[in-house]
Amino acid sequence: QVQLVESGGGLVQPGGSLRLSCAASGFSFSSYAMGWYRQVPGKQRELVARITSLGTTYYADSVKGRFTISRDNAMDTVYLQMNSLKPEDTAVYYCWSSRQSNYWGQGTQVTVSS
């Protein structure tokens, strides 16, 4: 079965950086698009970034220029490098795959606060 295990979240000050990782298993990783979503309590889950099987990237306007999504097909891992973090980036971040688009793992908490 599809498994997506997020890690790398934590508490960081505004302007700081974090790198999130998502270890995928249970499917042919390189064949599918991957992405990151985030969610805060009481709000809709929001697409942050995605990367296709060919490496084409997309970013939400709110993170463009600050976040970078990448993938390592040899390691079945997708990353989200987050720079210049803002308090409004605070959320639970979830990994996503087009292989099983309605599946969600446990997520990883990112808190940006001074």
Side-chain angles (χ1 to χ4, degrees):
Q1 71 234 285
V2 170
Q3 284 191 300
L4 302 171
V5 181
E6 302 95 337
S7 63
L11 175 64
V12 65
Q13 294 186 353
S17 297
L18 285 172
R19 188 178 74 157
L20 307 184
S21 298
C22 171
S25 61
F27 64 101
S28 182
F29 177 81
S30 63
S31 297
Y32 293 92
M34 300 294 297
W36 290 93
Y37 286 72
R38 66 188 182 189
Q39 189 169 35
V40 299
K43 298 198 71 176
Q44 195 109 257
R45 186 180 285 110
E46 172 191 27
L47 175 64
V48 176
R50 68 171 187 262
I51 183 166
T52 72
S53 61
L54 297 178
T56 301
T57 58
Y58 166 85
Y59 299 94
D61 287 342
S62 59
V63 307
K64 197 171 296 182
R66 300 187 297 120
F67 291 10
T68 303
I69 189 170
S70 61
R71 65 192 298 161
D72 186 339
N73 288 339
M75 296 294 292
D76 289 1
T77 302
V78 62
Y79 303 96
L80 186 68
Q81 178 66 48
M82 305 186 295
N83 298 326
S84 302
L85 282 161
K86 304 174 180 180
E88 51 263 46
D89 295 318
T90 296
V92 178
Y93 284 71
Y94 296 93
C95 188
W96 171 90
S97 174
S98 65
R99 172 65 178 85
Q100 192 168 329
S101 60
N102 292 325
Y103 169 83
W104 303 100
Q106 67 177 359
T108 185
Q109 176 72 48
V110 172
T111 302
V112 185
S113 177
S114 58

